Amino acid sequence: MAVTRAQIKKNLLAQLEEKELTDPVYLAMVEQYMIFYGLLKALNKESKYTDDDGNRRVSEKNISQARQVERSMREILAFLGLKPPEKGGGPVGLPPL
């Protein structure tokens, strides 16, 4: 089962609430994370293509951009002090990120 965008946001907000980090700056960082999440999904989708010989390829430019976005997403999680549920973060019962 794929994890949805709503589940990820809910998980992040629940972790912040557990840590009592409910100031607007923390909530804004979650919103920024979700923007990066959408951008990463779009980059991954458009990076795959089929060449003239029918071989599946991946755009190198998009890979570079995706790595930069992933790095920004990790920095946001580190700033917020959050981690995936399988690493001990988040409430029990939520799907892993």
Side-chain angles (χ1 to χ4, degrees):
M1 176 173 111
V3 178
T4 67
R5 183 181 182 92
Q7 288 171 316
I8 291 171
K9 185 174 180 178
K10 181 179 177 180
N11 183 301
L12 293 174
L13 292 172
Q15 288 186 63
L16 287 178
E17 191 172 312
E18 280 185 0
K19 292 176 174 266
E20 299 180 6
L21 300 175
T22 56
D23 291 340
V25 67
Y26 300 116
L27 302 178
M29 293 300 288
V30 170
E31 292 301 324
Q32 186 66 42
Y33 182 90
M34 297 312 300
I35 290 169
F36 281 128
Y37 177 80
L39 180 58
L40 182 61
K41 284 191 76 147
L43 283 170
N44 286 337
K45 184 177 180 179
E46 72 181 43
S47 69
K48 298 172 187 158
Y49 66 94
T50 304
D51 66 13
D52 295 335
D53 296 327
N55 299 316
R56 293 198 54 129
R57 301 284 184 195
V58 178
S59 167
E60 293 296 323
K61 177 184 175 191
N62 287 1
I63 289 173
S64 175
Q65 291 174 341
R67 285 183 181 151
Q68 291 173 350
V69 170
E70 288 172 338
R71 183 172 43 250
S72 295
M73 292 171 74
R74 284 191 303 272
E75 289 171 357
I76 290 171
L77 290 178
F79 173 81
L80 296 173
L82 304 181
K83 52 187 168 180
E86 68 270 11
K87 303 284 186 188
V92 176
L94 289 177
L97 296 178

